Amino acid sequence: MLFNSLNYALFLPIVFALFWLSRDKWRVWILLLASYIFYMSWKPVFILLILGLTIANYYLGFAIHKSQEPRRKKTWLTVAIAGNLLSLVFFKYAYFFNDCLSSLLKATGGAATHLPFDIILPLGISFFVFEFIHYVVDVYRGHEPIKSFPAFALFASFFPTQIAGPIKRFQDFIPQFLAPAKLTVASFDSGLSLILLGLCKKVLIADNLSFFVQGGFSKPELFSGLDLWLFAYAFAFQIYFDFSGYTDVARGSAMLFGYKVPINFNLPYMACNISEFWHRWHISLSTWLRDYLFIPLGGSRGSKWLNYRNLIITMTLGGLWHGAALHFLVWGLFHGLLLTAHKLLQPIKETLPSLKKAIDSPAGRVASTLLTFHMVCIGWVFFRAETNSLALTMLARMLSLSPVMDGGKQLAMLLPTINYPLIYPTIFLILPLLAAGHVACYFIGKAGLVAKTPQLARAAFVLSMILAVVIFSPDKSPRFIYFQF
Amino acid sequence: MHTSLDKPKVEEHLSKSEDFRKSYVLLAFALYILLDGIFRLSSLPQFHNFDFLKFSPLKVPHRSWVYWNEREFLTSPDKNPPDTALLGSSLMMAALHGGDAVYLKQPQNVAFHHKSKLLADLLTAASGKPESNFAFALGGEMVSDACILFEHMLKEKGAPQRVIYGIAPRDFMDSALPSVASTEIYRYMSHVSDLSDLEMKARTSPSEKIEYWLGKLSFIAGHKEDFIYIQQRWAKALTERVLPYKDLDTVKTPLHIRRQAFSELPEDSGANEVLTCPPQVAQEAYEDNLAEYRYRYRKINWKQFDDQLSYLERMLSRARQAGVSVILVNMPLTSDNLSIMPENFYNRYLEKVKTLAERYQAKVLDLNKTQLFPRCYFADSVHLNMRGGKHFFEVLAERLFRSSDPQTKAIMIKRP
């Protein structure tokens, strides 16, 4: 069931009404049942997977907690992590590893291998597996396990965050389930406003940009370097509005039941450096990677080279988490290298006061933000292109600003000659508007203007979002990008 | 003894009732209902002077084939019905454009070419009287679509003398179409024509039915296409004003981008986009499209078949009431295509069509004969190529005028 579908528009109010009309003790059960129905609406058989993992992790949590002996405790933890990772690897990476093995065998004169069965990737597996790992690791680290089975089952299957996060922490979430819920005007208003905002981001911006982006990424050789930069910018905004739109709907839906889900985005393209970018982009994933991969690898302890190694491994695996393909791995590696470069350059900046002053000045901050945005866009090329070779073709053209031949004429840009579909000519207005909007949101947030906005102005804004959703929701909107991960 | 001060704070908080009259979201929904009501009122004929939205079926965001067709039909200065109305799917459409391209030796612009000059000349030559026609032959046209187009024509311009309707098994059962209401022709015609007696029957899934009722309930939801048109006009006007673009309605786009747009929005075509040019080579290319048809025929849906058959019956019945003669032409297909149809499908289709035709005194003309249309006349497993299109109309005219059948003769005699 997609958030941007009529089914969800009917499902959510029904669950909302049942939840608030029932007694407190039934509410967790209602949400659990709704979450399983939500999951089964795609492929009913996969309920067995999420249910199986839930039961296993629930009992493994107790086993870890009750073990007195550290070795035994560790063994249970290893079993839990291995079990979770194996299910993820089997469903998500079996084809990838098989392809890698086949390529290796072919290169050494052998024959390609084939999997004897078809594997369908269950929706949301990357997210709920990470939540289970977080749970067992934190129980191992000394947290109390969750006693209530329905609350634990709901933690992993909670329908607003089931498919694409944000990745929750049980310490924040479970107390909310166990406390008596109360519907407030504030949570009702914020919840519905967030849902509408998320849908607007999806149907108004991300879906339209996706149409444009597909044109450039499918045949990059036909476009000039400057054209390809525009496609990369467009993808940067597409993925941001798609994923943050999804998160808004998820957070808004949760709020309608009185639960708070962590934010995942905080104007990421306003980051002045790559480290700050990762504090603003997919926050629940980056903090998960920090806590359950980077720190266990050694984190910032040890020599600086070990620190860099840990950073690169964490980001590369984080890249591979997005999809079982080499271009995701390269995307992660690229970000690992950028973060390492940032760490390497930090001491130089500190030792040169004039450089530090220049970078910290308003102009320096603007330049850093622009530089960070462009580096992120280069990374997005690896993320979006279907193969690394296609990404490299694109980047070679982008970085050399190579022109394009059109009817015997050499053009610096081909895009201005395309007038249909309408997204092509209007992209020259849309992209500056999106960038300006991003900057404006930053300053509005900083000045705290949202809290000062009068009721009527808020109502007018919500009305405009209702109109946009009613009018522009297509009959068949594409899936959210992060659903595939 | 406990006092109210002993009550836990959380309970105190819970006991407070929330005042939802302060909700700005509920206020926004109330404003939406108000706005919707204003739009609805302004569209009523009684408030004609306040109709600031000025919606029109000819102002649509996506210019599909049916849009171009109806645009020409509705805006034509000729208020009389054509002598012959041609109906059919892309099989008839391909013959229409290809036939005229070869006959006239010039390219035919698909957006504006809705009259067969070849058929008009053939019928005029055979009857000795000037003959006019108008083609409502459109890609993907199901029988239900043909029925709607025919009824709309009767309502707008009256009864033609005859209808030549090119049919094929796909028009009765297509796995690619979930319901009658899911075709672009249906969607467009529901804006142009009153289909209220069909609306619920035409929708099969609950979500389609809910969407329909939501459209009825909310004026804005029911007119979303019209609002999208307004938004597009504004976007175009702004782009033309701010950026150096002159004419955004004439498509100037590289082919691969255009192809992508077609795959996303198959029902959208500019006025200058699709030309059928006379063939330059002796043997026109043949494309294997059996995979597509395997998909279309993949699961036989007798319910859909019977449903479509009921639309044929409705059309034949209306035609009979209006005094319109109907000729059902079984369109030529390749043996390859026939071989991938589900078992008994073709025979049952032909048998049912013949039974209905007999009941309503329509004529069935079976042109699906390999000796008449060998493979060299086909562009793929179902569509005739350009020379095939010309040949089709020549065979059709010949069969209609040289027939010894008194019923056919009567159909072809032009009324005074």
Side-chain angles (χ1 to χ4, degrees), chain B residues 82-87 132-136 150 153 160 162-165:
Chain B
D83 296 319
T84 304
L86 283 170
L87 287 163
S132 65
N133 64 63
F134 194 91
F136 298 91
F150 172 70
M153 175 183 60
R162 66 188 83 88
V163 163
I164 299 178
Y165 180 17

Side-chain angles (χ1 to χ4, degrees), chain A residues 6-7 10 24 180-186 188-190 192-193 196 210-216 218-219 222-223 231 414-422 424-426 428-429 455-456 458-460 462-463 466-467 469-476 478, chain B residues 10 13-20 22-29 31-32 35 39 63 187 207-208 210-211 214 218 220-221 224 227-228 231-232 235-236 238-239 242-243 245 247-254 256-258 260-261 264-265 268-269 273:
Chain A
L6 184 63
N7 290 351
L10 297 170
D24 253 348
K182 167 133 176 81
L183 179 64
T184 63
V185 176
F188 176 79
D189 279 358
S190 306
L192 273 178
S193 302
L196 288 166
S210 121
F211 194 73
F212 172 76
V213 167
Q214 174 63 21
S218 59
K219 296 238 177 201
L222 298 181
F223 293 96
F231 285 115
L414 183 70
L415 280 175
T417 66
I418 302 173
N419 72 347
Y420 180 89
L422 194 56
Y424 279 83
T426 49
F428 293 98
L429 296 174
Q455 290 287 90
L456 200 61
R458 285 175 190 222
V462 173
L463 173 65
I466 298 171
L467 287 171
V469 170
V470 169
I471 294 170
F472 296 107
S473 285
D475 298 336
K476 279 181 194 159
Chain B
V10 69
H13 171 70
L14 281 173
S15 65
K16 266 192 223 164
S17 64
E18 289 283 323
D19 185 0
F20 274 86
K22 287 179 184 166
S23 162
Y24 62 84
V25 171
L26 289 182
L27 176 62
F29 277 103
L31 288 173
Y32 177 87
L35 192 65
F39 285 157
R63 296 165 297 174
R187 265 202 289 254
S207 62
E208 278 183 314
I210 292 168
E211 214 158 304
L214 285 178
S218 161
I220 297 169
K224 58 195 269 185
F227 284 104
I228 292 172
Q231 175 264 335
Q232 284 200 355
K236 279 181 184 173
L238 181 72
T239 311
V242 176
L243 298 169
Y245 288 95
D247 174 16
L248 289 173
D249 286 320
T250 307
V251 178
K252 294 175 210 147
T253 299
H256 97 277
I257 303 279
R258 192 62 196 93
Q260 182 213 336
E264 299 271 337
L265 274 175
D268 195 14
S269 179
E273 278 204 278

